[in-house]
Coordinates of all heavy atoms in Angstrom, one line a residue:
M1 N 0.9 -1.2 0.0 CA 0.0 0.1 0.0 C 0.9 1.3 0.0 O 1.8 1.3 0.5 CB -0.9 0.0 1.2 CG -2.4 -0.1 1.0 SD -3.2 0.1 2.5 CE -4.9 0.0 1.9
G2 N 0.4 2.3 -0.6 CA 1.1 3.5 -0.7 C 0.8 4.5 0.6 O 0.3 4.1 1.5
N3 N 1.4 5.6 0.4 CA 1.2 6.6 1.4 C 0.1 7.6 1.0 O -0.2 7.7 -0.2 CB 2.4 7.4 1.6 CG 3.6 6.6 2.3 OD1 3.4 5.6 3.0 ND2 4.9 7.0 2.0
V4 N -0.5 8.2 2.1 CA -1.5 9.2 1.8 C -0.9 10.6 2.4 O -0.4 10.4 3.5 CB -2.9 9.0 2.6 CG1 -3.8 10.0 2.4 CG2 -3.4 7.5 2.1
Q5 N -1.0 11.6 1.7 CA -0.4 12.9 2.1 C -1.6 13.7 2.8 O -2.6 13.9 2.2 CB 0.2 13.6 0.9 CG 0.9 14.8 1.3 CD 1.8 15.4 0.0 OE1 1.2 15.4 -1.0 NE2 2.9 15.9 0.4
A6 N -1.2 14.1 4.0 CA -2.1 15.0 4.8 C -1.4 16.4 4.8 O -0.3 16.5 5.2 CB -2.4 14.5 6.1
V7 N -2.2 17.3 4.5 CA -1.5 18.6 4.5 C -2.2 19.7 5.5 O -3.4 19.7 5.7 CB -1.8 19.3 3.1 CG1 -1.2 20.7 2.9 CG2 -1.2 18.5 2.0
I8 N -1.3 20.5 6.1 CA -2.0 21.5 7.0 C -1.6 22.9 6.4 O -0.5 23.1 5.8 CB -1.4 21.4 8.4 CG1 0.1 21.5 8.5 CG2 -1.9 20.2 9.1 CD1 0.6 21.7 10.0
D9 N -2.5 23.7 6.6 CA -2.3 25.2 6.1 C -1.8 26.0 7.3 O -2.4 26.0 8.3 CB -3.4 25.8 5.5 CG -3.9 25.2 4.1 OD1 -2.8 24.9 3.4 OD2 -5.1 25.0 4.0
I10 N -0.7 26.7 7.1 CA -0.1 27.6 8.2 C -0.1 28.9 7.6 O 0.2 29.1 6.4 CB 1.2 27.2 8.5 CG1 1.2 25.8 9.1 CG2 1.9 28.2 9.6 CD1 2.7 25.2 9.3
P11 N -0.7 30.0 8.3 CA -0.7 31.3 7.7 C 0.8 31.7 7.5 O 1.6 31.4 8.1 CB -1.3 32.1 8.8 CG -2.2 31.3 9.7 CD -1.5 29.9 9.5
E12 N 0.9 32.4 6.3 CA 2.3 32.8 5.9 C 3.1 33.6 6.9 O 4.2 33.2 7.2 CB 2.2 33.6 4.6 CG 3.5 34.0 4.0 CD 3.6 34.7 2.8 OE1 2.4 34.9 2.1 OE2 4.6 35.1 2.3
E13 N 2.4 34.4 7.7 CA 3.1 35.2 8.8 C 3.6 34.3 9.8 O 4.8 34.5 10.3 CB 2.1 36.2 9.2 CG 2.7 37.2 10.2 CD 1.8 38.4 10.7 OE1 1.3 39.0 9.8 OE2 1.8 38.5 11.9
L14 N 2.7 33.3 10.2 CA 3.2 32.4 11.2 C 4.4 31.6 10.8 O 5.4 31.2 11.5 CB 2.0 31.5 11.6 CG 2.2 30.5 12.6 CD1 2.7 31.0 13.9 CD2 0.9 29.8 13.0
Y15 N 4.2 31.2 9.5 CA 5.4 30.3 8.9 C 6.6 31.1 8.9 O 7.7 30.5 9.3 CB 5.0 29.8 7.5 CG 6.2 29.0 6.9 CD1 6.5 27.9 7.4 CD2 6.9 29.8 5.9 CE1 7.7 27.2 6.9 CE2 8.1 29.1 5.4 CZ 8.5 27.8 5.8 OH 9.7 27.3 5.3
L16 N 6.5 32.4 8.6 CA 7.8 33.2 8.6 C 8.4 33.3 9.9 O 9.6 33.3 10.2 CB 7.5 34.6 7.9 CG 7.2 34.6 6.5 CD1 6.7 36.0 6.1 CD2 8.3 34.1 5.7
S17 N 7.5 33.4 11.0 CA 8.1 33.4 12.3 C 8.8 32.1 12.7 O 9.7 32.0 13.4 CB 6.9 33.6 13.4 OG 6.4 35.0 13.1
L18 N 8.0 30.9 12.3 CA 8.6 29.6 12.5 C 10.0 29.5 12.0 O 10.8 28.9 12.4 CB 7.6 28.6 12.2 CG 6.3 28.5 12.9 CD1 5.3 27.5 12.4 CD2 6.6 28.2 14.4
S19 N 10.0 29.8 10.6 CA 11.2 29.6 9.8 C 12.3 30.5 10.3 O 13.5 30.1 10.4 CB 10.9 29.8 8.4 OG 10.5 31.1 8.1
A20 N 12.0 31.7 10.8 CA 13.0 32.7 11.4 C 13.6 32.0 12.6 O 14.8 32.2 13.2 CB 12.4 33.9 11.7
S21 N 12.9 31.0 13.3 CA 13.4 30.2 14.5 C 14.1 29.0 14.0 O 14.4 28.2 14.9 CB 12.2 30.0 15.4 OG 11.5 31.1 15.9
G22 N 14.3 28.8 12.8 CA 15.0 27.6 12.4 C 14.1 26.5 11.9 O 14.7 25.4 11.7
L23 N 12.9 26.7 12.0 CA 11.9 25.5 11.7 C 11.7 25.5 10.2 O 11.1 26.4 9.6 CB 10.5 25.6 12.5 CG 10.7 25.4 13.9 CD1 9.3 25.6 14.7 CD2 11.0 23.9 14.2
T24 N 12.1 24.3 9.5 CA 11.9 24.2 8.1 C 10.5 23.6 8.0 O 10.0 23.0 8.9 CB 13.0 23.3 7.4 OG1 12.9 22.0 8.0 CG2 14.3 23.8 7.8
K25 N 10.1 23.5 6.7 CA 8.9 22.8 6.4 C 8.9 21.3 6.9 O 7.9 20.7 7.4 CB 8.5 23.0 5.0 CG 8.0 24.3 4.6 CD 7.7 24.3 3.0 CE 7.3 25.8 2.6 NZ 7.1 25.8 1.2
E26 N 10.1 20.8 6.6 CA 10.2 19.3 7.0 C 10.1 19.1 8.4 O 9.6 18.2 9.0 CB 11.6 18.9 6.3 CG 11.9 17.4 6.6 CD 13.2 17.0 5.9 OE1 13.3 17.0 4.7 OE2 14.1 16.7 6.7
R27 N 10.8 20.1 9.2 CA 10.8 19.8 10.6 C 9.4 20.1 11.2 O 9.0 19.4 12.0 CB 11.8 20.8 11.3 CG 12.0 20.7 12.8 CD 13.2 21.1 13.3 NE 13.2 20.9 14.7 CZ 13.6 21.7 15.6 NH1 14.2 22.8 15.2 NH2 13.6 21.5 16.9
I28 N 8.7 21.0 10.7 CA 7.3 21.2 11.0 C 6.4 20.1 10.8 O 5.7 19.6 11.7 CB 6.8 22.5 10.4 CG1 7.4 23.8 10.9 CG2 5.2 22.6 10.7 CD1 7.1 25.1 10.0
A29 N 6.7 19.4 9.6 CA 5.9 18.1 9.2 C 6.3 17.0 10.2 O 5.4 16.4 10.7 CB 6.2 17.8 7.8
N30 N 7.5 16.9 10.5 CA 8.0 15.7 11.4 C 7.5 16.0 12.8 O 7.1 15.0 13.5 CB 9.5 15.8 11.4 CG 10.1 15.2 10.1 OD1 9.5 14.5 9.3 ND2 11.4 15.6 9.8
E31 N 7.6 17.2 13.3 CA 7.1 17.5 14.6 C 5.6 17.4 14.7 O 5.0 16.8 15.7 CB 7.4 18.9 15.1 CG 8.8 19.1 15.3 CD 9.5 18.2 16.4 OE1 8.8 18.0 17.5 OE2 10.6 17.6 16.3
S32 N 4.8 17.6 13.6 CA 3.5 17.5 13.6 C 3.0 15.9 13.6 O 2.1 15.6 14.3 CB 2.8 18.1 12.4 OG 3.0 19.5 12.5
R33 N 3.9 15.1 13.0 CA 3.6 13.7 13.0 C 3.7 13.2 14.3 O 3.1 12.3 14.7 CB 4.5 13.1 11.9 CG 4.2 13.2 10.4 CD 5.1 12.7 9.5 NE 5.4 11.3 9.8 CZ 5.4 10.2 9.0 NH1 5.2 10.6 7.6 NH2 5.7 9.1 9.2
K34 N 4.9 13.5 14.9 CA 5.2 13.0 16.3 C 4.1 13.3 17.2 O 3.7 12.5 17.9 CB 6.6 13.5 16.8 CG 7.7 12.9 16.0 CD 9.1 13.1 16.5 CE 9.4 14.3 17.2 NZ 10.7 14.6 17.6
L35 N 3.7 14.6 17.3 CA 2.6 15.0 18.1 C 1.3 14.4 17.9 O 0.5 14.0 18.8 CB 2.4 16.5 18.1 CG 3.5 17.4 18.7 CD1 3.3 18.8 18.4 CD2 3.6 17.2 20.2
L36 N 0.9 14.2 16.5 CA -0.2 13.5 16.2 C -0.2 12.0 16.7 O -1.2 11.5 17.2 CB -0.5 13.5 14.8 CG -1.7 12.6 14.2 CD1 -3.0 13.1 14.8 CD2 -1.7 12.7 12.7
A37 N 1.0 11.3 16.5 CA 1.1 10.0 17.0 C 1.0 9.9 18.5 O 0.4 9.0 19.0 CB 2.5 9.5 16.4
L38 N 1.7 10.8 19.1 CA 1.5 10.9 20.7 C 0.2 11.0 21.1 O -0.3 10.2 22.0 CB 2.3 12.1 21.1 CG 2.3 12.3 22.7 CD1 3.7 12.7 23.2 CD2 1.4 13.2 23.2
N39 N -0.6 11.9 20.5 CA -2.1 12.1 20.9 C -2.8 10.8 20.5 O -3.8 10.4 21.2 CB -2.7 13.2 20.2 CG -4.0 13.6 20.8 OD1 -4.1 13.9 22.0 ND2 -5.0 13.7 19.9
C40 N -2.6 10.2 19.4 CA -3.4 9.1 19.0 C -3.1 7.9 19.9 O -3.9 7.0 20.2 CB -3.1 8.6 17.6 SG -3.9 9.7 16.3
F41 N -1.8 7.7 20.4 CA -1.5 6.6 21.3 C -2.1 6.9 22.7 O -2.7 6.2 23.3 CB 0.0 6.6 21.4 CG 0.4 5.6 22.5 CD1 0.4 4.2 22.3 CD2 0.8 6.0 23.9 CE1 0.6 3.3 23.2 CE2 1.2 5.0 24.8 CZ 1.1 3.7 24.4
K42 N -2.0 8.2 23.1 CA -2.6 8.5 24.4 C -4.1 8.4 24.5 O -4.6 8.0 25.5 CB -2.2 10.0 24.6 CG -2.6 10.6 26.0 CD -2.2 12.1 26.1 CE -2.7 12.6 27.4 NZ -2.3 14.1 27.5
E43 N -4.7 8.7 23.4 CA -6.2 8.5 23.3 C -6.7 7.1 23.0 O -7.8 6.8 22.8 CB -6.8 9.6 22.3 CG -6.6 11.0 22.7 CD -7.4 11.4 24.1 OE1 -8.4 10.9 24.3 OE2 -6.6 12.1 24.9
K44 N -5.7 6.2 22.8 CA -5.8 4.8 22.5 C -6.5 4.5 21.1 O -7.2 3.6 20.9 CB -6.7 4.1 23.6 CG -5.9 4.1 24.9 CD -6.7 3.5 26.0 CE -5.9 3.5 27.3 NZ -6.6 3.3 28.5
V45 N -6.2 5.5 20.2 CA -6.6 5.3 18.9 C -5.7 4.4 18.2 O -6.0 3.6 17.3 CB -6.7 6.7 18.1 CG1 -7.0 6.6 16.7 CG2 -7.8 7.6 18.8
L46 N -4.3 4.5 18.4 CA -3.4 3.6 17.8 C -2.6 2.8 18.8 O -2.3 3.4 20.0 CB -2.4 4.5 16.9 CG -2.9 5.2 15.7 CD1 -1.8 6.1 15.1 CD2 -3.3 4.2 14.7
S47 N -2.1 1.7 18.5 CA -1.3 0.9 19.4 C 0.1 1.6 19.4 O 0.4 2.5 18.5 CB -1.1 -0.5 18.8 OG -0.5 -0.5 17.5
L48 N 0.9 1.1 20.3 CA 2.4 1.7 20.4 C 3.1 1.5 19.1 O 3.7 2.5 18.6 CB 3.0 0.9 21.6 CG 4.5 1.3 21.6 CD1 4.6 2.7 22.2 CD2 5.2 0.4 22.7
G49 N 3.0 0.3 18.4 CA 3.7 0.0 17.2 C 3.3 1.0 16.1 O 4.1 1.5 15.3
R50 N 1.9 1.1 15.9 CA 1.4 2.0 15.0 C 1.6 3.4 15.1 O 1.9 4.2 14.3 CB -0.1 1.7 14.8 CG -0.5 0.2 14.4 CD 0.0 -0.2 13.2 NE -0.8 0.3 12.0 CZ -0.6 0.1 10.7 NH1 0.4 -0.4 10.3 NH2 -1.5 0.7 9.9
A51 N 1.5 3.9 16.3 CA 1.8 5.2 16.6 C 3.3 5.6 16.4 O 3.6 6.5 15.9 CB 1.5 5.5 18.2
A52 N 4.1 4.6 16.7 CA 5.7 4.7 16.5 C 5.8 4.9 14.9 O 6.6 5.7 14.4 CB 6.4 3.6 17.0
E53 N 5.1 4.0 14.2 CA 5.2 4.1 12.7 C 4.8 5.4 12.2 O 5.5 6.0 11.4 CB 4.3 3.0 12.1 CG 4.4 2.9 10.6 CD 3.4 1.8 10.2 OE1 2.9 0.9 10.9 OE2 3.2 1.7 8.9
L54 N 3.7 5.9 12.8 CA 3.3 7.4 12.3 C 4.2 8.3 12.7 O 4.4 9.2 11.8 CB 1.8 7.5 12.9 CG 1.2 9.1 12.7 CD1 0.9 9.3 11.3 CD2 0.0 9.1 13.6
S55 N 4.7 8.3 13.8 CA 5.7 9.2 14.2 C 6.9 9.4 13.4 O 7.7 10.4 13.4 CB 6.1 9.1 15.7 OG 7.0 8.0 15.9
G56 N 7.3 8.2 12.7 CA 8.6 8.2 12.0 C 9.7 7.8 12.8 O 10.9 7.8 12.4
L57 N 9.6 7.4 14.1 CA 10.5 6.9 15.0 C 10.5 5.5 15.2 O 9.5 4.9 14.9 CB 10.3 7.5 16.4 CG 10.3 9.2 16.5 CD1 9.8 9.6 17.8 CD2 11.7 9.7 16.2
S58 N 11.6 4.9 15.6 CA 11.6 3.4 16.0 C 10.8 3.3 17.3 O 10.5 4.4 18.0 CB 13.0 3.1 16.3 OG 13.5 3.7 17.6
K59 N 10.3 2.1 17.5 CA 9.4 1.9 18.7 C 10.2 2.4 20.0 O 9.5 3.0 20.8 CB 9.1 0.4 18.7 CG 8.0 0.1 19.8 CD 7.6 -1.2 19.9 CE 7.0 -1.8 18.8 NZ 6.5 -3.2 19.0
W60 N 11.4 2.1 20.1 CA 12.2 2.6 21.3 C 12.3 4.0 21.5 O 12.1 4.6 22.5 CB 13.6 1.8 21.4 CG 13.4 0.4 21.6 CD1 13.7 -0.6 20.7 CD2 12.8 -0.3 22.7 NE1 13.4 -1.8 21.1 CE2 12.8 -1.8 22.4 CE3 12.3 0.1 24.0 CZ2 12.3 -2.7 23.4 CZ3 11.7 -0.9 24.8 CH2 11.7 -2.2 24.5
D61 N 12.7 4.7 20.3 CA 12.7 6.1 20.4 C 11.2 6.8 20.6 O 11.2 7.8 21.3 CB 13.2 6.6 19.0 CG 14.7 6.4 18.8 OD1 15.4 6.1 19.8 OD2 15.2 6.4 17.7
F62 N 10.2 6.1 20.2 CA 8.9 6.6 20.4 C 8.5 6.5 21.9 O 8.0 7.4 22.5 CB 7.9 5.9 19.5 CG 6.5 6.5 19.7 CD1 6.3 7.9 19.3 CD2 5.5 5.7 20.2 CE1 5.0 8.4 19.4 CE2 4.2 6.4 20.3 CZ 4.0 7.8 19.8
I63 N 9.0 5.4 22.4 CA 8.8 5.2 23.9 C 9.4 6.3 24.7 O 8.9 6.8 25.6 CB 9.2 3.8 24.4 CG1 8.3 2.7 23.9 CG2 9.3 3.7 25.9 CD1 8.8 1.3 24.0
E64 N 10.7 6.6 24.4 CA 11.5 7.7 24.9 C 10.8 9.0 24.7 O 10.7 9.8 25.7 CB 12.9 7.7 24.3 CG 13.8 8.7 25.1 CD 15.2 8.6 24.5 OE1 15.8 7.6 24.4 OE2 15.9 9.7 24.4
Y65 N 10.2 9.2 23.6 CA 9.4 10.4 23.2 C 8.2 10.6 24.1 O 7.9 11.6 24.7 CB 9.0 10.5 21.7 CG 8.3 11.8 21.4 CD1 9.0 13.0 21.3 CD2 7.0 11.6 21.0 CE1 8.2 14.1 20.9 CE2 6.2 12.7 20.6 CZ 6.8 14.0 20.5 OH 6.1 15.0 20.0
L66 N 7.5 9.5 24.4 CA 6.4 9.4 25.2 C 6.8 9.9 26.7 O 6.1 10.5 27.3 CB 5.7 8.1 25.2 CG 5.0 7.6 24.0 CD1 4.6 6.1 24.1 CD2 3.7 8.5 23.6
S67 N 7.9 9.2 27.0 CA 8.4 9.5 28.4 C 8.7 11.0 28.7 O 8.4 11.6 29.6 CB 9.6 8.7 28.7 OG 10.2 9.0 30.0
E68 N 9.4 11.6 27.6 CA 9.8 13.0 27.6 C 8.5 13.9 27.8 O 8.7 15.0 28.2 CB 10.6 13.3 26.3 CG 11.9 12.8 26.2 CD 12.5 12.9 24.9 OE1 11.9 13.5 23.9 OE2 13.7 12.5 24.8
N69 N 7.4 13.4 27.3 CA 6.1 14.1 27.3 C 5.1 13.7 28.3 O 3.9 14.0 28.3 CB 5.5 14.1 25.9 CG 6.3 15.0 24.8 OD1 6.2 16.2 24.9 ND2 7.2 14.4 24.2
E70 N 5.6 12.8 29.2 CA 5.0 12.4 30.5 C 3.7 11.5 30.0 O 2.6 11.8 30.6 CB 4.6 13.4 31.4 CG 5.8 14.1 31.9 CD 5.7 15.3 32.9 OE1 4.5 15.5 33.2 OE2 6.7 15.9 33.3
V71 N 3.8 10.8 29.0 CA 2.7 9.9 28.5 C 3.1 8.5 28.8 O 4.0 8.0 28.4 CB 2.4 9.9 27.0 CG1 1.4 9.0 26.6 CG2 2.0 11.4 26.7
P72 N 2.4 7.7 29.8 CA 2.6 6.4 30.1 C 2.5 5.4 28.9 O 1.7 5.6 28.2 CB 1.7 6.1 31.3 CG 0.6 7.1 31.0 CD 1.2 8.2 30.5
V73 N 3.6 4.6 28.9 CA 3.5 3.6 27.8 C 2.4 2.4 28.3 O 1.8 2.0 27.4 CB 4.9 2.9 27.7 CG1 4.8 1.8 26.8 CG2 5.9 4.0 27.2
V74 N 2.4 2.2 29.5 CA 1.5 1.3 30.0 C 0.5 2.0 30.9 O 1.0 2.7 31.8 CB 2.2 0.1 30.9 CG1 1.1 -0.9 31.4 CG2 3.2 -0.6 30.0
D75 N -0.7 1.8 30.6 CA -1.8 2.6 31.4 C -2.9 1.6 31.8 O -4.0 1.5 31.2 CB -2.3 3.7 30.5 CG -3.3 4.6 31.2 OD1 -3.2 4.7 32.4 OD2 -4.0 5.3 30.6
Y76 N -2.6 0.8 32.9 CA -3.5 -0.2 33.4 C -4.5 0.4 34.4 O -4.1 1.4 35.2 CB -2.8 -1.3 34.1 CG -2.1 -2.2 33.2 CD1 -0.8 -2.7 33.6 CD2 -2.5 -2.6 32.1 CE1 0.0 -3.6 32.8 CE2 -1.8 -3.4 31.2 CZ -0.6 -4.0 31.6 OH 0.1 -4.8 30.8
D77 N -5.7 0.0 34.3 CA -6.7 0.4 35.5 C -6.4 -0.6 36.7 O -5.6 -1.5 36.6 CB -8.1 0.4 35.0 CG -8.6 -0.9 34.6 OD1 -8.1 -2.0 35.1 OD2 -9.5 -1.0 33.6
Q78 N -7.0 -0.3 37.8 CA -6.8 -1.0 38.9 C -7.1 -2.6 38.7 O -6.3 -3.4 39.3 CB -7.7 -0.6 40.2 CG -7.3 0.8 40.7 CD -5.9 0.7 41.2 OE1 -5.4 -0.2 41.9 NE2 -5.2 1.8 41.0
D79 N -8.1 -3.0 38.0 CA -8.5 -4.4 37.8 C -7.3 -5.1 37.0 O -7.0 -6.2 37.3 CB -9.7 -4.6 37.1 CG -10.8 -4.4 38.1 OD1 -10.8 -4.4 39.3 OD2 -12.1 -3.9 37.5
E80 N -6.8 -4.4 36.0 CA -5.7 -4.9 35.1 C -4.5 -5.1 35.9 O -3.9 -6.1 35.7 CB -5.5 -4.0 34.0 CG -6.6 -4.0 32.9 CD -6.5 -3.0 31.8 OE1 -6.1 -1.7 32.2 OE2 -6.8 -3.3 30.7
I81 N -4.2 -4.1 36.8 CA -3.1 -4.4 37.7 C -3.2 -5.6 38.5 O -2.2 -6.3 38.9 CB -2.9 -3.1 38.5 CG1 -2.3 -1.8 37.6 CG2 -1.7 -3.2 39.5 CD1 -2.2 -0.5 38.2
R82 N -4.3 -5.8 39.2 CA -4.6 -6.8 40.1 C -4.4 -8.2 39.4 O -3.7 -9.1 39.8 CB -6.0 -6.8 40.7 CG -6.0 -5.9 41.9 CD -7.3 -6.0 42.6 NE -7.8 -4.8 43.2 CZ -8.6 -3.8 42.6 NH1 -9.2 -4.1 41.6 NH2 -8.8 -2.8 43.2
R83 N -5.0 -8.3 38.1 CA -4.7 -9.4 37.2 C -3.2 -9.7 37.0 O -2.8 -10.9 36.9 CB -5.6 -9.4 36.0 CG -7.2 -9.6 36.2 CD -7.8 -9.7 34.9 NE -7.7 -8.7 33.9 CZ -8.5 -7.7 33.9 NH1 -9.5 -7.5 34.8 NH2 -8.3 -6.8 32.9
E84 N -2.5 -8.7 36.6 CA -1.1 -8.8 36.4 C -0.4 -9.4 37.5 O 0.4 -10.3 37.4 CB -0.6 -7.5 35.9 CG -0.9 -7.1 34.4 CD -0.5 -7.9 33.4 OE1 0.7 -8.5 33.4 OE2 -1.2 -8.1 32.4
F85 N -0.7 -8.8 38.7 CA 0.0 -9.3 39.9 C -0.4 -10.8 40.3 O 0.5 -11.6 40.7 CB -0.3 -8.3 41.1 CG 0.6 -7.1 41.1 CD1 0.1 -5.8 41.1 CD2 2.0 -7.3 41.3 CE1 0.9 -4.8 41.0 CE2 2.8 -6.2 41.2 CZ 2.3 -4.8 41.2
K86 N -1.6 -11.1 40.0 CA -2.1 -12.4 40.3 C -1.4 -13.4 39.4 O -1.0 -14.4 39.8 CB -3.7 -12.5 40.1 CG -4.2 -13.7 40.5 CD -5.7 -13.7 40.3 CE -6.4 -15.1 40.7 NZ -7.8 -15.0 40.6
T87 N -1.4 -13.0 38.1 CA -0.6 -13.9 37.1 C 0.9 -14.1 37.5 O 1.4 -15.2 37.4 CB -0.7 -13.3 35.7 OG1 -2.2 -13.2 35.4 CG2 0.0 -14.1 34.8
S88 N 1.4 -12.9 37.9 CA 2.9 -12.9 38.3 C 3.0 -13.9 39.4 O 4.0 -14.7 39.5 CB 3.3 -11.5 38.6 OG 4.6 -11.6 39.1
D89 N 2.2 -13.7 40.4 CA 2.4 -14.7 41.6 C 2.1 -16.1 41.2 O 2.9 -16.8 41.7 CB 1.2 -14.2 42.7 CG 1.6 -12.9 43.5 OD1 2.7 -12.5 43.4 OD2 0.6 -12.4 44.0
M90 N 1.2 -16.3 40.4 CA 1.0 -17.7 40.0 C 2.2 -18.2 39.2 O 2.6 -19.4 39.6 CB -0.3 -17.9 39.1 CG -0.7 -19.2 38.7 SD -2.1 -19.2 37.6 CE -1.4 -18.5 36.1
L91 N 2.8 -17.5 38.4 CA 3.9 -17.9 37.7 C 5.2 -18.2 38.6 O 5.9 -19.1 38.4 CB 4.2 -16.9 36.6 CG 3.2 -17.0 35.4 CD1 3.6 -15.8 34.4 CD2 3.2 -18.3 34.5
S92 N 5.2 -17.1 39.5 CA 6.4 -17.3 40.5 C 6.3 -18.7 41.3 O 7.2 -19.3 41.4 CB 6.3 -16.1 41.3 OG 7.4 -16.3 42.3
K93 N 5.0 -18.9 41.7 CA 4.9 -20.1 42.5 C 5.1 -21.4 41.7 O 5.8 -22.4 42.2 CB 3.5 -20.3 43.0 CG 3.2 -19.3 44.2 CD 1.7 -19.3 44.6 CE 1.5 -18.2 45.6 NZ 0.1 -17.9 46.0
R94 N 4.8 -21.4 40.4 CA 5.2 -22.6 39.6 C 6.6 -22.8 39.3 O 7.2 -23.8 39.2 CB 4.4 -22.4 38.1 CG 3.0 -22.6 38.1 CD 2.4 -22.5 36.7 NE 1.0 -22.7 36.8 CZ 0.3 -22.6 35.8 NH1 0.7 -22.2 34.5 NH2 -1.1 -22.8 35.7
L95 N 7.4 -21.7 39.3 CA 8.7 -21.7 39.0 C 9.6 -22.3 40.2 O 10.6 -22.8 40.1 CB 9.3 -20.3 38.6 CG 8.9 -19.9 37.2 CD1 9.5 -18.5 37.1 CD2 9.6 -20.7 36.1
K96 N 8.9 -22.1 41.4 CA 9.5 -22.5 42.6 C 9.4 -23.9 42.9 O 10.1 -24.5 43.7 CB 9.0 -21.7 43.9 CG 9.5 -20.3 43.9 CD 8.8 -19.6 45.0 CE 9.2 -18.1 45.0 NZ 8.7 -17.3 46.2
K97 N 8.5 -24.6 42.2 CA 8.1 -25.9 42.4 C 9.2 -26.9 41.8 O 9.9 -26.7 41.0 CB 6.8 -26.4 41.7 CG 5.7 -25.9 42.5 CD 4.4 -26.4 41.9 CE 3.3 -25.8 42.6 NZ 1.9 -26.2 42.2

C-alpha cells in the first residue's frame, strides 16, 4: 500500500516566524507527525507500534518520546493491575516447584 499525504495550512506570517526560528517545512511536518502519533496513542486510537510508525521513530525512540512528554507507555486500570500481579504470583509459584 502507498502513502496518503495530509496537508496543513499555516498562515504565511506564522510560517515566517517559525522559519526565522529555524523551523523548516520538513521539521514542522516531522514534529506534527510526532505530536499526532503521541495524541493518537494517548487516546488509544493507535497501538504503540502503529503510533511509532506514524511518528517516523523507532518503537524505542517513540517510547522515549512518550516519556519525555509524560505519557505512560502502560496505562492499566486497577483491575488490570490486580490481574497482572495475580498472574505474576501464580507464575512465580510454578517456577519455585
Side-chain angles (χ1 to χ4, degrees):
M1 243 187 183
N3 291 333
V4 174
Q5 190 173 35
V7 178
I8 60 170
D9 289 321
I10 299 173
E12 185 175 354
E13 187 176 308
L14 179 56
Y15 174 71
L16 292 174
S17 295
L18 294 172
S19 63
S21 298
L23 290 173
T24 62
K25 289 179 185 179
E26 183 177 295
R27 184 152 178 224
I28 292 168
N30 290 338
E31 291 300 317
S32 297
R33 286 173 55 129
K34 289 189 330 187
L35 288 170
L36 177 60
L38 180 142
N39 191 57
C40 287
F41 176 76
K42 185 177 176 180
E43 297 298 321
K44 299 179 178 162
V45 173
L46 292 176
S47 68
L48 178 65
R50 299 298 280 173
E53 183 181 348
L54 174 60
S55 74
L57 300 172
S58 71
K59 192 181 289 188
W60 294 113
D61 287 341
F62 186 66
I63 288 170
E64 187 174 315
Y65 180 71
L66 292 173
S67 178
E68 290 167 359
N69 288 278
E70 300 180 5
V71 175
V73 175
V74 178
D75 189 19
Y76 289 140
D77 64 28
Q78 291 297 323
D79 288 336
E80 290 170 319
I81 291 172
R82 279 190 212 97
R83 283 194 302 272
E84 289 293 325
F85 279 117
K86 185 177 180 180
T87 301
S88 176
D89 287 342
M90 183 181 70
L91 291 172
S92 177
K93 288 176 185 175
R94 284 186 184 175
L95 289 174
K96 290 179 182 178
K97 289 182 180 182

